[in-house]
Each structure stands twice: as structure tokens, then as C-alpha cells.
Amino acid sequence: FDMVHFGHANLIRQAKELGDYLIVGVHSDEEIAQHKGPPVFNEQERYEMVRAIKWVDEVVEGAPYCTNIPTLDKYNCDFGVHGDDISVLADGSDAYKIIKDAGRYREVSRTQGVSTTDIVGRMLLLTKTHHKRQVKTTFYYWFFIYTFGKISNELKKEKTNVDPTANSPWTGVSQFLATTQKIIQFSSGKQPNPGDKIVYVAGAFDCFHLGHIRFLEKAATYGDYVIVGVHTDREVNRYCGSNYPIMNVHERVLSVLACKYVHEVVIGAPYVVSPEMMDHFKVDMVVHGNSQVYADEHGVDPYEVPKKRGKFVLETSGCQLTTSDIVERIIEHRQTYILRNQKKEEKELANYKMMRNAGPMNGHTVN
Ligand code: C5P
């Protein structure tokens, strides 16, 4: 669970559906370094990120890389779950073989269209094609086709495979398709109870990270029901510039929905918190964290209305992390990451070929 994204959250969601109580084992830095190469986020950060996912009942810190029977028994687990991509040990063997052979293994589908490789690609190439924009004219259409062609070529060059046609089916570049089904699956489905205090927060929530989690945890203490406004890609790009947001609005919405402190999300929330919005959601308190508050495109303070109503508070998350720190950290690890991925893909490919020779692939479905 390094660089946690909504693909990880979706795996956890599916795993939870298979039983009543979900224990997530998170490997230590040392264990990951031994089998895969050093992680970008340290173990304390990864433990905290996983704990904040709403389907997680318990986290086992420093879980062994190879899931074995004594580990399952120690935590009273009936079975272990993994996505339908293969997890290989340093020697290239399947990390789940032991529990598969013992009949204590279940598999869930990997989320199509999202991979860490894709996200790193967006960061490195400063592309914006992941933003959700309307194609307004033929000119924009052709411009998009032209740019997309160039970017795919660049992404292909970025991959350092010896044989460019020999890619693993699990580690690749693809586009995530947000469906209403996925939003329903991630949503709490809960309405506020009568008398509940409603908290509203808004922001980009790009590359959902520890700063966001700690902020949402604090914001949640101001009421009983937390609504998060997730700004549109266009709006975030206006105040963050460059190629931000790295994650498009649908992806950002899913990451926020997966957080245990959140009850409801406004998809593409208006930048300025209006009186209509405050009344519609019966907002009792608007909370903003550490980050700078930018004026809207007309120079208006987005929190003018809640401030006038005495329903605005600044709350420090106590965490200085920002999305650009995350991007920098990932880019810094770029070389290690590329090498790590290359090795991972070679091992996956060897296993994939073996599986293909052995018969049809198990459960490689869209979910
Ligand atoms: O920067 P972004 O718009 O994603 O932030 C969403 C909310 O999280 C804002 O209220 C921001 O101030 C808060 N935040 C925080 N501490 C961080 C990062 C974000 O309080 N380290």
C-alpha cells in the first residue's frame, strides 16, 4: 500500500465484502525493500493511510511479505485476499502459493484503468489529458488527438522494457473509467439524522494524502456528518496551475469517499460557498485547514458567506504535507521506481506466461 490510490481502496472494499471483519496486513519498509525495492512512503505513513480507509477494521503492522498459514491463524483469519495481479517474492515465486494450496485464498478483481505507473506518468510528463474537459470544437478535438498521440509515444519511451511489446497485463498505462456503479459502491449511502450537525469542507483533495486525512479527522470533530466539496479540474487548475490536478475529479471523489471521516461528497463543488449552498445542506460549520485560501476568479473570498454567518473556522491539520510534496517525493524516487517496475514486470510476465500455458486466467474481470 505504497502511494495509496482509489485502486487500493477498491481492493479493500471488495475484500471486506467477502467477510465480516477485515484485517489488512501492511508490510514494513524493510520487508518491502527486500522483495521489491524501497517504498516511497514510510511504514508509519502507510499504516495511517490504510487505517483511514473506511472498510478497514484493523491494521497489522509489519505483516510478512509472504502470507502464510501461521499469519492467518495468528490473527484468526479464515482466508487471505489478493487482487488478480500476481505478487511475487524476491526469488520470483508466488507470494500466495502456500495459502492457495491450503484453500485459504480468495481473489478480487484489480481496478481497471488505474496503476501507480499511470499516475507517475502524469506527474513526470506534466500532461493534462486526464482532466475532464468537454470537447467543444473540432479544433480542440484534433488538438486532443494530436497531443494524445504525442503523449502515448512519450509514455512508451518512458517505459524501459527490453522488448516494448512484452508488457505485463498488470503493470501498464491505462485510463480509468468512472461509472455511477463505482460511486455507489464507494458511497456511504447515509443521510444525516435529524439534529445532526453538518460540517462542510472543500478543496482539491488531489493525490489524497496524510495531510487530507488528518484535516478531515479534525474537521469531523465539529459535527456529526461531513460533506466534502471536491472542486472541478478546471477550478483546481486555475488556482494550482501547471498540470494540476494530477488526479481527475472522478478519481479525487473516489479517494475522498473511501475515507472513514467522510459521509457525502459534492462532485465538482462550486468554488464560492454560497448562501443557497449553506441552506441547501443545512451547514452548521465550514472548516478550512492549513492551506492558503485563494480568491475566486473575480477576487471574491470563497468563504465570505460562512464567515459573515459566524460559521467558519480555520483548523490546522498539524501536517505540512502538500500535493506538490507528494509529487516531488515520487519524482525523486523516479529512477528507483522505474527499475523496480521493470523488475516487477519481468517477474509478472514470466508468471503470466506460465499461467497462460497452464490454462485460462482466473477471474480477470472488470470491477
Ligand atoms: O489543498 P487541498 O485543497 O487539497 O486541501 C483540502 C483541505 O485540506 C483544505 O482545507 C486544506 O487546508 C486541508 N489540508 C490541511 N493540511 C494539509 C493538506 C491539506 O489542513 N497538509
Side-chain angles (χ1 to χ4, degrees):
F1 298 102
D2 196 16
M3 298 187 256
V4 173
H5 53 65
F6 61 89
H8 295 121
N10 195 34
L11 166 98
I12 287 173
R13 179 191 65 79
Q14 294 179 80
K16 172 75 181 203
E17 276 185 357
L18 297 174
D20 307 300
Y21 191 82
L22 179 67
I23 302 181
V24 181
V26 182
H27 310 312
S28 66
D29 293 344
E30 199 188 329
E31 192 82 342
I32 297 177
Q34 193 190 332
H35 292 279
K36 227 178 175 177
V40 176
F41 292 93
N42 71 43
E43 54 198 27
Q44 293 308 327
E45 293 170 321
R46 290 182 291 106
Y47 300 152
E48 198 175 332
M49 290 292 292
V50 174
R51 265 196 193 102
I53 297 177
K54 66 181 175 190
W55 301 284
V56 176
D57 293 303
E58 194 179 322
V59 164
V60 168
E61 299 184 357
Y65 204 82
C66 177
T67 307
N68 50 30
I69 305 294
T71 308
L72 291 187
D73 288 345
K74 182 173 173 189
Y75 299 103
N76 240 331
C77 297
D78 292 298
F79 50 84
V81 183
H82 192 261
D84 58 3
D85 55 332
I86 196 149
S87 172
V88 280
L89 301 173
D91 65 4
S93 61
D94 181 350
Y96 288 83
K97 181 155 185 346
I98 302 171
I99 66 165
K100 279 179 186 170
D101 291 346
R104 289 175 70 180
Y105 174 80
R106 302 283 185 279
E107 198 161 85
V108 295
S109 309
R110 186 188 152 95
T111 308
Q112 302 289 304
V114 60
S115 68
T116 313
T117 320
D118 173 31
I119 296 163
V120 174
R122 296 178 197 181
M123 292 174 181
L124 292 172
L125 298 170
L126 297 176
T127 56
K128 289 193 201 176
T129 46
H130 53 281
H131 292 184
K132 300 284 165 205
R133 280 162 196 272
Q134 264 184 306
V135 177
K136 278 197 180 143
T137 66
T138 342
F139 166 76
Y140 284 120
Y141 174 75
W142 288 113
F143 179 72
F144 173 77
I145 298 286
Y146 168 71
T147 321
F148 189 73
K150 278 186 80 169
I151 288 157
S152 332
N153 284 339
E154 279 178 88
L155 281 170
K156 273 181 208 146
K157 272 190 252 154
E158 192 65 35
K159 288 171 86 60
T160 49
N161 277 309
V162 187
D163 172 4
T165 58
N167 289 347
S168 152
W170 299 296
T171 303
V173 175
S174 50
Q175 276 294 304
F176 169 70
L177 298 173
T179 59
T180 50
Q181 189 59 27
K182 186 104 299 95
I183 290 179
I184 291 167
Q185 288 166 339
F186 271 58
S187 157
S188 75
K190 282 187 199 132
Q191 302 271 16
N193 291 318
D196 272 358
K197 264 192 106 179
I198 313 289
V199 176
Y200 181 76
V201 304
F205 296 94
D206 194 15
C207 300
F208 199 73
H209 55 73
L210 267 189
H212 293 131
I213 291 172
R214 292 203 188 150
F215 165 69
L216 290 168
E217 185 179 6
K218 290 260 181 90
T221 62
Y222 285 86
D224 312 292
Y225 191 90
V226 178
I227 305 179
V228 179
V230 176
H231 296 145
T232 63
D233 295 339
R234 190 180 289 252
E235 198 64 60
V236 176
N237 192 247
R238 179 188 68 78
Y239 62 78
C240 290
S242 185
N243 64 328
Y244 290 108
I246 299 294
M247 309 297 275
N248 71 46
V249 66
H250 302 310
E251 297 167 324
R252 289 181 285 118
V253 163
L254 290 181
S255 293
V256 171
L257 275 177
C259 177
K260 66 178 177 190
Y261 305 112
V262 176
H263 299 94
E264 178 66 302
V265 166
V266 182
I267 306 170
Y271 191 66
V272 173
V273 183
S274 63
E276 293 77 18
M277 199 166 158
M278 296 280 294
D279 296 341
H280 177 83
F281 291 114
K282 301 187 172 59
V283 176
D284 293 290
M285 192 55 83
V286 176
V287 190
H288 190 89
N290 294 343
S291 64
Q292 189 182 340
V293 178
Y294 299 93
D296 84 342
E297 53 196 341
H298 310 291
V300 172
D301 174 358
Y303 297 125
E304 198 177 286
V305 172
K307 278 178 186 168
K308 274 191 189 149
R309 292 187 179 187
K311 291 184 171 177
F312 178 79
V313 65
L314 277 177
E315 176 62 82
T316 167
S317 67
C319 174
Q320 296 312 315
L321 214 58
T322 63
T323 298
S324 49
D325 294 335
I326 303 282
V327 173
E328 259 169 46
R329 216 199 275 197
I330 290 171
I331 289 178
E332 234 175 67
H333 283 70
R334 176 187 173 201
Q335 217 35 49
T336 331
Y337 178 78
I338 288 173
L339 284 173
R340 185 175 102 182
N341 239 34
Q342 191 184 342
K343 271 202 224 149
K344 177 173 168 255
E345 215 173 348
E346 278 164 14
K347 282 191 213 162
E348 281 179 354
L349 203 60
N351 271 282
Y352 180 59
K353 281 181 182 156
M354 230 165 58
M355 282 162 68
R356 228 181 16 192
N357 292 339
M361 227 172 118
N362 194 6
H364 201 71
T365 49
V366 178
N367 203 329

